[in-house]
Amino acid sequence: MRLLPLQPPPLPRLPRLRVPRRLAELPRPRRLPDCSAKRLLDLVGALLLAGVFAVPLLLISGLLYATQGARVFRRQPAAGLGGRPFRTWRLLTDGGSGRLGAAVERTALDGMPQLLNVLRGEMSLVGPRPEPGTDRPDRLLVRPGMTGLWQVSARSGLPWEEMDLLDRHYVESHWLGMDLAILAQTPRAAYKQRHA
C-alpha cells in the first residue's frame, strides 16, 4: 500500500502590519489609577483639608498680596515617586510680609497649597520631606509628604542627619496605621511650634 505525501493546507493571507517608524508613533500605555488605601486616604484627606482651609488661605493670600505685591505663591522643584520631577506649591512669605509671614510659616500654613500636589498625585499627605534631588534612592520609593516623622518629632529643631534617619525609617516601615498616627500628631506639633 502506497502512502500519499501529506501537504499542509495553504495558510490564509495575513494583513501587512504597519511598523511605526518613530517612537512618538507608538501608542502610550494607559496609566491605571492608583487605588491603594494610602492614595484614597490622600484624596479624601486633601479634599477635606482643602474645604476647611479654603477661606483662611484666601484671606492670607489677600493679606500677603497687599503686603508684598503680586507674587503670593512660589513653586519649588522636587523629586517625586521614582525620581519624577515636579514643583511644589507654597505661599511666598518673604521679608516684606513681616509678622504675617512669620506667623504663616510658624503655623505651617505656607505649605497648605501643597494640597494641590497631593490631589495631582505628586505628593502624599505623609511621607519624606520634598527635596529637589537626593543621593539616596530609597527616598524615591514613596511620594514625598506634606508632613512626616520629621515634622512630628520636634519639626525643624532636629539636625539634618536625624531628619534623614526619620525619612529612611518611614520609607522602610510605613503602613496606613503609621500614616494615621502621624496625621493625628501633626496639629499638636504645629501648635507646639507656634507657641515655642
Side-chain angles (χ1 to χ4, degrees):
M1 180 171 165
R2 251 176 107 186
L3 293 173
L4 296 172
L6 293 175
Q7 292 184 351
L11 293 173
R13 271 186 92 170
L14 297 174
R16 285 186 73 188
L17 295 176
R18 182 178 167 269
V19 178
R21 293 185 182 188
R22 284 185 245 152
L23 191 59
E25 293 179 21
L26 289 172
R28 292 187 178 183
R30 283 189 339 173
R31 243 175 90 184
L32 296 175
D34 183 359
C35 294
S36 65
K38 180 173 174 63
R39 181 67 185 136
L40 293 176
L41 174 67
D42 285 343
L43 287 173
V44 171
L47 287 171
L48 287 174
L49 288 170
V52 168
F53 286 101
V55 173
L57 282 175
L58 285 173
L59 290 173
I60 291 169
S61 299
L63 291 171
L64 288 173
Y65 180 80
T67 57
Q68 65 191 21
R71 290 193 57 200
V72 176
F73 297 100
R74 68 177 169 196
R75 299 190 69 197
Q76 297 175 309
L81 182 65
R84 196 171 299 123
F86 71 99
R87 292 190 176 272
T88 63
W89 289 88
R90 293 188 81 83
L91 286 173
L92 179 62
T93 53
D94 59 17
S97 55
R99 288 193 301 185
L100 172 66
V104 169
E105 284 183 1
R106 243 189 354 260
T107 56
L109 289 174
D110 60 325
M112 292 310 285
Q114 290 177 343
L115 289 170
L116 292 171
N117 296 112
V118 175
L119 291 171
R120 292 177 55 166
E122 297 162 334
M123 288 182 67
S124 177
L125 290 175
V126 181
R129 290 166 289 117
E131 293 180 349
T134 181
D135 56 354
R136 291 201 355 256
D138 60 324
R139 285 180 60 90
L140 306 177
L141 296 174
V142 296
R143 291 181 179 93
M146 291 180 65
T147 186
L149 279 175
W150 51 272
Q151 188 176 28
V152 298
S153 303
R155 289 176 52 119
S156 57
L158 291 173
W160 283 105
E161 299 82 20
E162 288 187 38
M163 293 172 85
D164 282 340
L165 285 174
L166 289 171
D167 282 345
R168 182 179 302 171
H169 176 70
Y170 177 82
V171 170
E172 291 173 354
S173 58
H174 73 280
W175 61 291
L176 196 60
M178 179 186 274
D179 283 5
L180 292 170
I182 291 170
L183 286 171
Q185 293 176 26
T186 297
R188 182 174 57 90
Y191 178 82
K192 281 172 67 175
Q193 176 72 15
R194 181 180 178 184
H195 295 279

